Amino acid sequence: MKATAAAHPNLAFVKYWGKVDPRLNLPTNPSISVNLDGATTVTTVAFSDERETDQVFINDQPASPPARQRVVRHLDRVRRLAGVEARALVASRNDFPADAGIASSASAFAALSLAASRAAGLELDERTLSILARKGSGSASRSIPGGFVEWQAGERDEDSYAYPIAPPEHWDIRVVTAIVDQQPKAVSSGQGHRAAPQSPFFNARLAALPQTLTTVRRALLDRDLSAFGLALEREAVSMHVVCMTSPHPERDWLSGIYYWGPGSMRLVHAVQAWRREGLEVYFTMDAGANVHLICRGGDQAELEGALCPLLLELEGWCLVSRPGRGAWLVGEGEAGAQS
Ligand code: PMV
């Protein structure tokens, strides 16, 4: 009744922003991402009939009440699937700091889904695991398969899941995450998803998405960095336009939700200058101020060299990732990647 699993977070090239069903985390639109091998969550789940309550530790500390409640709700889903009643001990560790600008909920719920389902005696296939992880955190559905991944929006619980569109070795790109703002974000992604449909640009973004998805998918499969990069920058900006024109959930004196900070804009302009000078690098941003830079593997050293003075000035740092594998079992009975 015990299993350990690991998963990487993922970075969306085409973003998930808005939910048609917040309870099931059914997204308004499909999304495309890559797993980031520079960061990992490892989670152990042990069910025991002797245990009276679920106990949850995150990075060796008891989880906060809201975090614990979210984990317990996910354990309940697994218990219902497996028909078990036992309570669990959950211990989860991230090898990256919470302020790294990388959403740990994706790797956390992917690793938890695999560890808890195995510990409860289930052997779920990749699709079912992706559906389960999605209910913990939408983007976690994309950390189950390996490499480059698409999450089809679906209309019902059973057809909203992620699947691989290319393995990690398909394309030797680097994601250099520039951490230029270590403050916790002011508005959670959950609140942002809820506010999004109130932006007058939400429907315009949705109307453009089928074309964006086709362009990004095609460029990714063709390893065409120029077409890929320009499309993903426009896509990230379109998500942030929606954010900036969505009502802030708590601060009615603000016209919208601003995830970008001064460091974000410095990097956006730096990326454009580097490109003009011949270093092919593109940016994307999630619901936070930190900036993910994408370049060819062979350009990593040049990019780090260009980035270093700016990071020193902004008192930031960076984390480098290659395309990573899907969620996997660790230790005893290791079965390798699920994909
Ligand atoms: O899975 P959530 O609720 O944390 O939403 C993720 C939202 C973005 O990171 C901004 C976009 C994405 O597709 O990952």
Side-chain angles (χ1 to χ4, degrees):
M1 296 290 269
K2 178 176 168 185
T4 298
H8 296 305
N10 65 78
L11 172 66
F13 298 133
V14 177
K15 312 288 184 192
Y16 146 54
W17 201 242
K19 307 184 190 192
V20 289
D21 184 333
R23 193 180 55 89
L24 289 173
N25 285 339
L26 295 183
T28 326
N29 62 276
S31 51
I32 295 178
S33 62
V34 68
N35 290 338
L36 301 177
D37 84 341
T40 308
T41 299
V42 179
T43 301
T44 299
V45 178
F47 286 105
S48 160
D49 291 324
E50 313 298 309
R51 194 171 287 287
E52 287 183 359
T53 55
D54 293 314
Q55 261 193 305
V56 181
F57 292 88
I58 300 175
N59 293 329
D60 301 320
Q61 301 293 326
S64 67
R68 178 184 175 277
Q69 202 190 11
R70 217 169 147 191
V71 171
V72 170
R73 273 205 304 271
H74 206 60
L75 292 171
D76 287 340
R77 292 182 187 109
V78 174
R79 281 189 275 257
R80 271 196 301 277
L81 269 178
V84 301
E85 300 266 308
R87 303 290 112 181
L89 175 65
V90 176
S92 187
R93 274 200 202 103
N94 297 325
D95 71 355
F96 54 104
D99 58 11
I102 291 178
S104 55
S105 64
S107 49
F109 281 95
L112 178 65
S113 299
L114 181 54
S117 56
R118 276 300 171 111
L122 296 168
E123 285 204 24
L124 303 180
D125 59 23
E126 185 174 280
R127 179 186 299 192
T128 312
L129 265 175
S130 173
I131 290 170
L132 174 63
R134 188 202 76 226
K135 291 184 242 192
S137 173
S139 52
S141 65
R142 297 188 310 235
S143 282
I144 295 289
F148 299 87
V149 170
E150 182 153 354
W151 172 14
Q152 68 173 33
E155 289 177 354
R156 290 160 307 158
D157 183 25
E158 58 276 23
D159 57 18
S160 183
Y161 57 88
Y163 53 89
I165 53 175
E169 58 281 7
H170 164 71
W171 199 9
D172 182 28
I173 55 167
R174 291 295 176 281
V175 176
V176 177
T177 302
I179 318 300
V180 290
D181 189 333
Q182 313 207 17
Q183 300 300 318
K185 61 185 168 205
V187 179
S188 70
S189 57
Q191 290 174 316
H193 285 292
R194 271 195 294 283
Q198 295 174 62
S199 161
F201 301 106
F202 184 68
N203 286 331
R205 174 164 188 271
L206 286 186
L209 268 169
Q211 184 59 54
T212 307
L213 284 157
T214 305
T215 306
V216 169
R217 195 187 301 113
R218 185 73 270 146
L220 192 162
L221 294 175
D222 291 347
R223 303 184 194 91
D224 178 348
L225 186 64
S226 315
F228 182 73
L230 291 174
L232 74 91
E233 283 192 2
R234 282 190 198 110
E235 156 52 15
V237 172
S238 96
M239 184 195 104
H240 285 275
V241 165
V242 170
C243 297
M244 290 178 197
T245 50
S246 307
H248 193 290
E250 282 141 18
R251 300 177 188 169
D252 56 10
W253 70 94
L254 284 177
S255 54
I257 301 170
Y258 288 76
Y259 287 114
W260 295 14
S264 325
M265 278 316 282
R266 289 287 303 278
L267 276 157
V268 166
H269 287 288
V271 164
Q272 290 168 353
W274 293 331
R275 270 210 308 269
R276 201 172 49 236
E277 289 155 14
L279 172 60
E280 207 176 352
V281 50
Y282 297 91
F283 69 82
T284 184
M285 270 179 263
D286 283 338
N290 296 313
V291 183
H292 301 273
L293 306 171
I294 292 121
C295 69
R296 290 188 184 88
D299 288 338
Q300 178 190 334
E302 197 183 339
L303 173 58
E304 284 182 291
L307 184 59
C308 196
L310 199 52
L311 287 179
L312 279 172
E313 198 188 317
L314 298 169
E315 297 183 11
W317 55 283
C318 71
L319 182 83
V320 180
S321 300
R322 295 165 190 251
R325 66 196 293 202
W328 69 99
L329 286 166
V330 176
E332 220 189 334
E334 180 157 4
Q338 288 293 298
S339 54

